[in-house]
Amino acid sequence: MLEQVNQLVSLSGVKMKSLVRWSASLGLMGSVLLGQLLPGMNRAIALPAQDIMKKLESVLVFTITNTEGTPLIASVTNNNEEASIASFFMSQRDAQQFVQKIEQQNPDLAGNTQVVPVSLAKVYELEQANADNPERVEFAFIPVQQQVQFAAEELQQEGQEIPQSNGMPLFNGVPLFYATVGPEQGYLTIEQNGEQLIPIFFNREQLESMLTRVREQQPDLAPSIDVRVSNLEKVIEELENNNDPAVTKIVLVPSTETLEYLQSRPQPEPAQP
């Protein structure tokens, strides 16, 4: 059973150069043209797995392993059934704090654990490959609590009731944020290289930064802009099953923390001719 996740960590090498180039391209958002894309404008087929992975590869998640690279697996019993779960944090800082907590509770682990970055595309690939394995390790994604709070606030403004636990809102999955605009509430898009793209953000603040520029550049659109909330699992399901061509335009924007983490990592030297 551990072989499944060991394979994942062995595949955790991230294409740092390509991701840093992607982060640089995000800085161009202030100068791109903005528009809207209405669902169902044309017909298309749902995305194949390889195309889905291309959309996921820009997103990093963080898991915890021992110094030999073996992931830490939690055993959970639910309804008399035991499941093995590997956790993936959306925030490297949250993962580091979790390591500190478990090392405090288990001194024998001190200095023997580490946080490992993994491309979300690799997690998806392995999950698909082991979908029919009855002994598969389940993957749990741990969202950033501040983003859960933002998502709950947005949903409450829409009139939804959000359950609480210990004073914290409960949200199903990892929250994602995007915007709609206009009387028909089309997706707010950016245009890059002549193509309309639908940016979907892991951080509410990054979306708001883009919307601030939109309101400044196109103030007539400001009253019709709405922030929408989804979750990572639902977006992946849409990529897998929805044949609306608007879905093919989705671009997942890594969090600011992840972009800063990538830029802080030493870049490999270019290969010599």
Side-chain angles (χ1 to χ4, degrees):
M1 182 165 55
L2 277 178
E3 181 181 353
Q4 173 191 349
V5 187
N6 282 332
Q7 179 187 0
L8 172 67
V9 174
S10 72
L11 293 172
S12 65
V14 178
K15 298 177 182 178
M16 293 296 177
K17 280 191 172 182
S18 63
L19 292 185
V20 171
R21 285 198 298 270
W22 166 245
S23 70
S25 73
L26 295 179
L28 300 176
M29 279 191 174
S31 60
V32 297
L33 298 174
L34 293 145
Q36 62 173 312
L37 184 65
L38 299 177
M41 292 176 66
N42 297 290
R43 302 306 296 168
I45 60 173
L47 290 180
Q50 288 299 318
D51 288 349
I52 294 174
M53 288 174 59
K54 287 180 181 179
K55 290 185 178 294
L56 301 179
E57 69 182 359
S58 64
V59 179
L60 282 188
V61 292
F62 300 88
T63 194
I64 298 168
T65 76
N66 63 19
T67 52
E68 296 177 351
T70 300
L72 300 187
I73 305 296
S75 294
V76 178
T77 301
N78 186 25
N79 296 327
N80 296 322
E81 293 186 2
E82 187 171 294
S84 297
I85 298 177
S87 296
F88 295 89
F89 292 79
M90 305 310 297
S91 163
Q92 190 252 0
R93 285 193 289 265
D94 286 353
Q96 291 286 9
Q97 290 174 1
F98 185 76
V99 166
Q100 293 174 6
K101 182 178 179 180
I102 62 175
E103 288 185 348
Q104 289 172 357
Q105 295 174 347
N106 303 275
D108 291 345
L109 292 177
N112 294 316
T113 55
Q114 61 184 347
V115 174
V116 176
V118 183
S119 168
L120 184 57
K122 294 300 183 183
V123 181
Y124 177 80
E125 180 181 30
L126 195 59
E127 189 172 43
Q128 294 298 301
N130 289 274
D132 297 326
N133 182 353
E135 296 185 349
R136 67 183 180 275
V137 175
E138 302 290 344
F139 298 153
F141 295 95
I142 313 301
V144 177
Q145 192 57 46
Q146 181 63 69
Q147 302 307 318
V148 170
Q149 183 67 45
F150 286 145
E153 292 171 357
E154 293 290 346
L155 294 174
Q156 286 173 332
Q157 290 179 12
E158 296 176 8
Q160 296 189 35
E161 293 187 9
I162 305 299
Q164 303 273 325
S165 177
N166 298 321
M168 302 298 292
L170 295 178
F171 184 86
N172 184 24
V174 175
L176 294 175
F177 305 88
Y178 63 101
T180 57
V181 64
E184 297 181 286
Q185 287 296 285
Y187 300 107
L188 185 65
T189 66
I190 61 172
E191 184 178 317
Q192 288 187 327
N193 299 323
E195 182 181 8
Q196 279 188 302
L197 302 174
I198 303 170
I200 298 184
F201 297 84
F202 287 86
N203 276 20
R204 172 69 172 80
E205 303 95 320
Q206 288 170 279
L207 172 59
E208 187 55 43
S209 178
M210 186 184 79
L211 294 182
T212 296
R213 292 193 289 273
V214 174
R215 296 183 181 109
E216 291 173 350
Q217 295 171 9
Q218 303 184 48
D220 55 313
L221 291 180
S224 65
I225 293 175
D226 285 316
V227 172
R228 303 294 185 182
V229 176
S230 186
N231 66 49
L232 179 60
E233 294 80 359
K234 183 176 180 180
V235 168
I236 291 176
E237 183 178 331
E238 290 291 304
L239 292 173
E240 291 174 330
N241 302 311
N242 195 330
N243 62 3
D244 189 325
V247 171
T248 69
K249 305 298 184 181
I250 287 174
V251 174
L252 293 173
V253 182
S255 69
T256 301
E257 179 192 340
T258 295
L259 296 175
E260 292 173 348
Y261 170 82
L262 288 170
Q263 291 172 326
S264 71
R265 292 284 296 265
Q267 300 302 305
E269 294 295 329
Q272 297 297 321

